[in-house]
Amino acid sequence: MSEPAVRLCADAGLSFELTERSLVVPCANAPVDLLLVRPSDIPEYAQDGVVDVGITGANLVAEAEAEVVTLAELGFARCSLDAAVPVDAAQQSVSDLAGLRVATAYPVSTKRLLAEVGVECSLVPVSGSVEAAPRLGLADAIVDLVSTGSTMSANGLRPVGTLLSSQAVLVGGRAAVEERAELVGRLELMLSGVVAARRRRYVMLNAHRDDLPAIRALLPGMGAPSVLQLADEGEIAVHAAVEADDVWTLLPALKEAGASSILVLPVERLVP
């Protein structure tokens, strides 16, 4: 998580220099110091006022049960806390885990999340190799953090449900959010602007004015697109910010609607 978190801060305009031994890194262009620590420590650090804000995983906030404010979702380190059983087991859903032994490296959040859906089971806390627990006879099922699911599959396990969806989040201590609201809000704005921009692409195209209604119907984007008159009579340029995930299907449709000279550019920052 550290590499994308550091890159996000740099993309947001914070200027700093890291070394292999960096722990506290001052920023040259903002009243911000970066403290490089383990993601699992950050919820408690923010809660206790050691740091004002921090970047960590939503699942780690849930596991720590820290009294912090989630300020923004950051769009990377996506994963989920999933329950799984051996492929030949009879269980088909999370509710079927009732009464079983469940191994997990996240006992606090697992216990709470299972209780929320009315499932009581015997938790077996482990610190590593959770996927091996059923094969070793330590547990009947597991709850573990999953990114692609390949590790579970390789260990002969089958998912039966998701307890929590997680990603990197910006969190703040309650005191810092209240007492340093302006600075915390500015940092949140800068980081969120980069996160929002990563989900968008800026599309520029040329078209005949008669084709504008059909093209506009394909470009909901962020409100109405910008339309500029070109030097040639009846010819226009259309600019719009669109969802990055839509580009694959959008470009052929725009071409068919009469667009030409289509350019798709990354967006550096987007502030609503």
Side-chain angles (χ1 to χ4, degrees):
M1 182 178 290
S2 61
E3 191 273 334
V6 168
R7 186 170 65 248
L8 174 62
C9 291
D11 290 348
L14 296 178
S15 178
F16 52 87
E17 293 186 11
L18 295 181
T19 67
E20 291 184 357
R21 298 183 178 182
S22 294
L23 179 60
V24 179
V25 184
C27 294
N29 62 337
V32 176
D33 291 335
L34 302 182
L35 176 64
L36 306 180
V37 296
R38 295 181 302 177
S40 58
D41 292 333
I42 291 174
E44 186 173 348
Y45 279 20
Q47 171 187 269
D48 296 344
V50 177
V51 298
D52 296 315
V53 297
I55 295 175
T56 186
N59 65 296
L60 296 176
V61 176
E63 182 64 19
E65 294 189 317
E67 291 293 325
V68 296
V69 179
T70 298
L71 300 169
E73 296 181 335
L74 302 179
F76 64 89
R78 293 183 182 275
C79 55
S80 58
L81 194 63
D82 284 5
V85 297
V87 290
D88 57 354
Q91 291 75 24
Q92 298 296 322
S93 67
V94 172
S95 61
D96 295 334
L97 300 182
L100 300 184
R101 297 170 300 156
V102 178
T104 182
Y106 304 94
V108 175
S109 49
T110 295
K111 181 178 180 179
R112 184 178 67 255
L113 293 167
L114 287 175
E116 288 176 0
V117 294
V119 174
E120 293 187 8
C121 59
S122 176
L123 291 183
V124 181
V126 295
S127 58
S129 302
V130 179
E131 294 87 355
R135 188 171 65 249
L136 296 175
L138 296 175
D140 306 303
I142 71 166
V143 170
D144 200 18
L145 213 58
V146 174
S147 179
T148 64
S150 59
T151 303
M152 279 192 178
S153 179
N155 283 274
L157 298 174
R158 168 174 53 82
V160 293
T162 295
L163 301 183
L164 176 73
S165 294
S166 178
Q167 62 177 292
V169 292
L170 178 70
V171 298
R174 296 189 182 278
V177 171
E178 294 175 1
E179 297 170 7
R180 311 192 70 183
E182 182 180 356
L183 184 55
V184 170
R186 185 178 303 181
L187 181 62
E188 177 191 351
L189 177 68
M190 301 304 286
L191 295 180
S192 295
V194 174
V195 173
R198 289 175 176 176
R199 298 196 299 264
R200 306 296 203 289
R201 295 294 182 269
Y202 194 69
V203 176
M204 300 186 292
L205 59 90
N206 292 345
H208 192 275
R209 182 169 292 279
D210 292 344
D211 295 323
L212 180 58
I215 290 172
R216 280 200 60 177
L218 298 169
L219 293 172
M222 299 166 53
S226 299
V227 179
L228 309 174
Q229 179 64 51
L230 298 179
D232 293 337
E233 183 66 28
E235 295 297 312
I236 58 173
V238 180
H239 296 189
V242 303
E243 294 287 337
D245 291 343
D246 294 340
V247 170
W248 173 261
T249 55
L250 179 62
L251 296 191
L254 288 173
K255 191 74 175 176
E256 186 175 347
S260 63
S261 302
I262 304 173
L263 295 178
V264 180
L265 304 175
V267 180
E268 182 176 321
R269 200 165 302 170
L270 175 60
V271 179

